[in-house]
Structures are given as structure tokens and as C-alpha cells.
Amino acid sequence: MTKTTRDILDDVLALRERVSTWGAATFRHWRPRIRRPEFAAGALNLAHYLAFRKHDLRPLQRALMPLGISSLGRAEGRVLASIDAVACALSKLVGRAPGAPLRPPSARQFYRGERQLGLAAEALFGPGVPGRHGRILVTLGSDAARDPGLLRRLAEGGADAVRINCAHDDPDRWMRMIEHLRTAERATGRRLKLLMDLGGPKVRTADVATPSDRQRMVAGDELLICRAGALRDPGYAFQTGCTLPVVLERIKIGDPVAIDDGKLRGRVVREEAGNLVAVIEQAPVKGAKLRPEKGLNFPGVKLGLDPLTAKDLADLDIVAREADMVGYSFVETAQHLACLQEELARRRSDWRRLAVVPKIETGGAVANLPEIIVQAAGCQPLAVMIARGDLAVEIGFERVAEMQEEILWLCEAAHVPVIWATEVLDGLVRKGTPSRGEMTDAAMAARAECIMLNKGPNQLAGVEALDNVLRRMGEHQAKKTPLLRELRSWAS
């Protein structure tokens, strides 16, 4: 039966009541952890958004569309204001007073979340480049320690921030990079924010052994995974050590395994003397080489690893002193965030001014994202990084596109900036030529507040190309909202 406008209004009012009640209860639960007053509005809106998305809203959206009223599809940053605006418009249509506590939101109230998100992005990544909304974050390679002019070229090319991955190089090289960064800032008059990533407990292949006549693994091959330094079992053609052998004790028969960002995928089929044997089930048509120092993942398996390693704690002495933002790898719970905050407090009395960037790269981090956001942003500035490389391996490549959308929505609801990371324009940065798919991905990345480029010999070309894409897309899209600039390609 087709619903009347009055029926639709009743549905919207009932929705508002549920969202308001459930959201308020969630916010009360979070309130003791919110020490930053500027995050309170974002936390409340996030609580409302979680309540809002408990429902399948598609029938209501369908009913609203023919009435020329918002279908609530872009309510992330302003949940109650969006519902109130719709309810008040429907009340006008049926000739009924909306009733307390409803009133049409003012423009200032309606766009408050958008304004707060913009201020947060500026605080973390700087004011940006005129004419471009998104910021560009560039990962520094070892050449940044050797070449004093590289940072200046990146700053002049349009980079807004730089990243040092503490899983690579060493403190001496990091300090040379930072020295070159400060020199570039003085020369260009631009302040570039510095993100330093803690390496975390990344499980990798160690030494490898392959047959003399065949290095590539294909589906059906067996792989012996053993403790580092324990190779050369004559019974297996393909063997690799594990950089964190303790994880081998936590893997069961039947658990999945993925190697080198998922190029090789298989399953553990048996255990032999503390080592594991896996059968490769998926591989490229021509196979893939087994190499050392490549990611070794066990998707969906809870490894119970502390994301702060002994190396991270040592690195944190430098990171807390030098960085504007601390990247936190393999974080999965709010308690993990609390542990990092305790370590920062030991190193800086003003640690709450230091921004934190949890990297969302596991299924556990996705599931616990609201609590991670509250624990982090309740105490200090926060940006969330969508680390699509490990995330794809952990949750499956087919789910990554969907999940990065949901992470964007959740963070917008909390008024928290997002860093879109992993392999953006990777072909251009590493090989000098982008693919069509990479350019489309870069355009989609414009919905994030910051986009990260990996290291490679053509970073400056990557910065220039990304700058161009972001300027163009900024005229057509703001987060989920299409912007209807006049079309010029078909001008008569």
C-alpha cells in the first residue's frame, strides 16, 4: 500500500525519536573519555549516526524522493539536523505544526559538522593549497636523507605533509630527512606537517628457499613456513622463515595464509615439528616469486600481538619529539590507543597536542572503529588512515571498496579527517606511467581530506598529477555531495 505524506512524516518522527534516544545513551557511555571539548559535538553526531544506520532506510528514502525532499542520503555530518529538516518540510506539506523539539535547523547548525571537519583537517594537515580541497601526504624514501633538494621540490610542487615510515631506514636517516624538511620550509615559506609511522608487529617472510629451476609459486604448491633460520628441509621445494615465529604457535590447521599483499593465498594443512605447511590455492596465472621481507598475513586470525613493539617504544622517543602526527600500525582496540597515549604521556607533558593516526588495516580495527575514534579524539587530534594494502589482505579484496566507503562515512559523522592510503597513482610514482584505473582511484580519493603517495622515483610527478585531479574533482564533488557546476565539455 502506498503511504501518504502524513504516514511518511510519522515514520520520520519515529526514526528521530529512536536515533535521539539511542544516540544519547551511546554518548553518555562515551562521555567520561571525552576530554577535548571540541570533539563533543562530533562524538554526539557519531552516536546519532550509529543509531541512524541501525535501520534499513531504503524504503523511507524511496518514499521521500518523489516529494522533492532530502532522502537523508548525505546525513553523515549532521544526522539530527538532516532528520529535523525533513520532518519540518513534511509538516509544512501536511499542514501540521512539527511540535517540540523540532524546528528547522539554521544554516549554521546544518553545516556545523562540515565546518568542524574542515577545521580539524586544517589543524592536522595545514591550510592546504589555494584552489584545492584535499591535502597531499608524501612518503619519504631513503633518498630524502641523501638529497637536500627533494623536500623543497615536493613543497614547491604542492605537497602538504610528509611521512616517515619507521619500519624502514634508521634514526640517523630520519633526522637527516627532518633537517632537509625544515630547510625546505624555510626556503619556501610553507609549513609541511610531519607524520611518523611506528612500524608495529608486521609479520614478514624472512629468508626463503626455492628450487634452482623454478622461483615462481603456483596454485597447488606446498610452502613450509618455519622459524627464521630453520630452512633447508629437503622435503619441501618452497620454504620461508617467519620474522615473528611466535605467531606460528597461534595458527591452526585450516587457517588461511596470504603472502606479498595477497599475491599468493593458501591454507595451512598440517604442522610439522613446530613449523607449518600451507598449500597455495590462489596465485597469478604465471605464478609469483617467493621473496624475503614480504608481508605474511593470516587473514581473520587473532594473533594477539601487541601493536607497540620494543622497537616502537624506542622509536617513540624520537617520534614524540619531532613529529606532528604519530602513525599507529595494527591498532585494533580502544585499549591499544590508550596504551599509546600512556607512552606519549611519559615522553611529553603536552602530548594531547600531538595528533594520532591509527591505521585501519585489520578486520578487528574496522569492527572497533567507533571506540577507537572516541578513545583517540577524546584526548588528542585525530586522523584515520585507510591502509588499504593490509586491509585488503585481511578482509578480502572484494570487500575493500565497500569498507573504505563505510570508514569514510563513520569518520565524517565524527568530524574526523581521513587519509586515503596505499598505492595511489602507484604506477606513476614507481614507473612513470599511471593506469586508467589509478587515475579513477585518485579521483575517488578526493572525498578524503588527505591522500597519501607511496615512495618512488617519480613522486614529484605524482604530486603534480594528484594536485590536478583534486582541483578538478573539487568542482564536482564534496564528500558524498555532487556539486552541479556548469558543464563545459558540451558548451554550444
Side-chain angles (χ1 to χ4, degrees), residues 92-115:
K92 288 281 188 180
L93 287 177
V94 301
R96 191 170 100 189
L102 290 181
R103 62 179 184 275
S106 66
R108 182 172 180 81
Q109 292 169 328
F110 195 78
Y111 292 115
R112 180 172 66 171
E114 179 181 302
R115 190 167 59 251

Side-chain angles (χ1 to χ4, degrees), residues 193-321:
K193 294 300 183 80
L194 174 61
L195 167 64
M196 296 185 74
D197 264 3
L198 300 173
K202 177 72 173 178
V203 186
R204 296 183 184 273
T205 57
D207 44 346
V208 303
T210 61
S212 58
D213 60 341
R214 181 164 70 93
Q215 290 186 317
R216 293 181 179 273
M217 298 194 73
V218 298
D221 283 336
E222 285 192 341
L223 173 65
L224 181 68
I225 307 171
C226 50
R227 299 175 184 278
L231 302 187
R232 307 304 174 192
D233 185 321
Y236 295 93
F238 292 96
Q239 304 171 44
T240 181
C242 175
T243 56
L244 288 176
V246 67
V247 306
L248 302 185
E249 302 170 5
R250 300 169 187 178
I251 305 302
K252 302 182 183 67
I253 305 303
D255 283 344
V257 58
I259 303 165
D260 195 1
D261 288 338
K263 290 185 178 69
L264 295 167
R265 287 176 173 269
R267 198 163 294 277
V268 175
V269 294
R270 61 183 178 274
E271 183 267 340
E272 292 186 1
N275 301 325
L276 303 177
V277 179
V279 171
I280 300 302
E281 299 173 337
Q282 297 177 31
V285 174
K286 295 183 179 180
K289 289 185 177 181
L290 182 64
R291 302 176 188 272
E293 298 184 11
K294 297 298 181 181
L296 183 59
N297 295 77
F298 300 92
V301 179
K302 294 187 181 300
L303 299 177
L305 298 176
D306 189 333
L308 279 177
T309 67
K311 179 182 183 302
D312 294 330
L313 293 175
D315 294 343
L316 200 55
D317 293 339
I318 297 174
V319 172
R321 184 180 72 240

